[in-house]
Amino acid sequence: MSVVADTRPAETAPSRATDTHLKVTGPRVLRSEWAKLWSLRSTWITLGLGLLFLLAFGTIAALRYKSMLNSSQPMDPDFADATAYSLALFGVPFSLIALGVLGVLTASGEYSSGMIRSTLAAVPRRLPVLWSKAAVYGALAFVAGVVGALAGFLISSGVLSGTPIAMSLSDSGVLRGLLGVGLYLGLVGVIGVALGTLLRSTAGGISALVGTFLLVPGLMSLLPKSWRADLTPYLPSNAGESVFALHHSAGTLSVGAGLLVLLGWTVLALGGAAYRLMRSDA
């Protein structure tokens, strides 16, 4: 009597290791967003511009002040109340534009290229993509802001050494303020990511960012004085400036209040972006 052996391949249960390897996790989404961010040429260019603006404009302002101080001409009224700290941070608004624009590009670029469909297919829950983009780019903008502000301050302090407005890192509030610059620019970067996700348009996101931080504060002068005094401190730009200001005049927010207001604007922008991401097709 012969026995016929069953030569069919045995069915195997799915490997737990394979399931673990394919599982979408927070750290893996973060690594993916980090890799995508550095694969863009615009990341290197725009980060370089953000750092250059902080260093160059602060140095130019310091040199301008020293030249007026050494000349027989009267001091420019714009420099009358200047300090080495304020001159070193002269380029913050320009760096804000560069870093904010890059934040918009990190999100809107995926929509214009169509890559967002692949991203959301890999991460079906969607929201981890937004949180990871915001966390990765916000941290990068924070580091760039701190490094640029610190280097700019050291250069300006060297230029202004021996002048009446000379300052050093050991002066009260300076280190806290330089960290505040990084925090401000980091949150601006997060708002840029949120606007890029919310509007899904590079032009629209950049326009909204520039309008919010640069145009709206100027338009506040059209409001009645009583309204202007009540509303202006709570604008994102004014609240952000309070975060790294060494001295707070009447009508401005304290460091803590300014940070809370800026965080509120950031959460609002992220909330709108999350709603759009979950409710609209890619």
Side-chain angles (χ1 to χ4, degrees), residues 36-58:
K36 283 191 288 185
L37 179 62
W38 287 109
S39 67
L40 299 173
R41 185 182 301 174
S42 58
T43 299
W44 299 92
I45 296 173
T46 314
L47 272 180
L49 287 174
L51 289 171
L52 179 63
F53 290 153
L54 278 173
L55 298 176
F57 286 105

Side-chain angles (χ1 to χ4, degrees), residues 24-282:
V24 176
T25 63
R28 286 172 179 166
V29 179
L30 284 170
R31 287 197 297 268
S32 172
E33 293 302 326
W34 177 263
K36 283 191 288 185
L37 179 62
W38 287 109
S39 67
L40 299 173
R41 185 182 301 174
S42 58
T43 299
W44 299 92
I45 296 173
T46 314
L47 272 180
L49 287 174
L51 289 171
L52 179 63
F53 290 153
L54 278 173
L55 298 176
F57 286 105
T59 303
I60 292 171
L63 290 171
R64 173 66 176 156
Y65 177 89
K66 191 169 185 179
S67 67
M68 288 189 295
L69 192 66
N70 294 332
S71 67
S72 57
Q73 298 178 354
M75 181 65 67
D76 190 320
D78 292 336
F79 289 83
D81 298 324
T83 64
Y85 180 82
S86 64
L87 293 177
L89 301 183
F90 192 81
V92 168
F94 304 97
S95 183
L96 177 151
I97 297 174
L99 296 178
V101 165
L102 182 56
V104 172
L105 286 172
T106 59
S108 64
E110 287 203 50
Y111 285 94
S112 60
S113 66
M115 185 185 293
I116 189 64
R117 289 187 289 273
S118 300
T119 298
L120 297 182
V123 190
R125 293 176 62 187
R126 296 194 173 195
L127 286 183
V129 174
L130 176 60
W131 308 145
S132 297
K133 281 184 185 295
V136 166
Y137 184 66
L140 181 61
F142 167 77
V143 172
V146 171
V147 170
L150 178 60
F153 178 79
L154 292 176
I155 294 172
S156 297
S157 295
V159 172
L160 296 171
S161 179
T163 66
I165 64 170
M167 297 180 70
S168 67
L169 288 175
S170 60
D171 288 341
S172 176
V174 170
L175 278 176
R176 187 269 306 162
L178 296 178
L179 288 174
V181 172
L183 190 56
Y184 176 40
L185 295 178
L187 291 176
V188 168
V190 172
I191 291 174
V193 172
L195 290 175
T197 305
L198 176 63
L199 301 177
R200 302 185 176 186
S201 164
T202 300
I206 293 174
S207 298
L209 182 83
V210 173
T212 299
F213 283 91
L214 298 182
L215 298 183
V216 172
L219 295 175
M220 294 299 289
S221 61
L222 301 176
L223 296 177
K225 188 175 181 180
S226 58
W227 292 17
R228 187 165 66 247
D230 292 336
L231 296 177
T232 299
Y234 298 95
L235 295 177
S237 55
N238 295 69
E241 290 173 0
S242 298
V243 174
F244 62 87
L246 287 187
H247 306 289
H248 296 81
S249 59
T252 61
L253 300 177
S254 64
V255 175
L259 179 58
L260 287 176
V261 170
L262 186 58
L263 284 172
W265 284 109
T266 305
V267 170
L268 182 64
L270 283 173
Y275 181 85
R276 178 81 190 275
L277 185 62
M278 292 298 293
R279 293 289 181 174
S280 301
D281 293 334

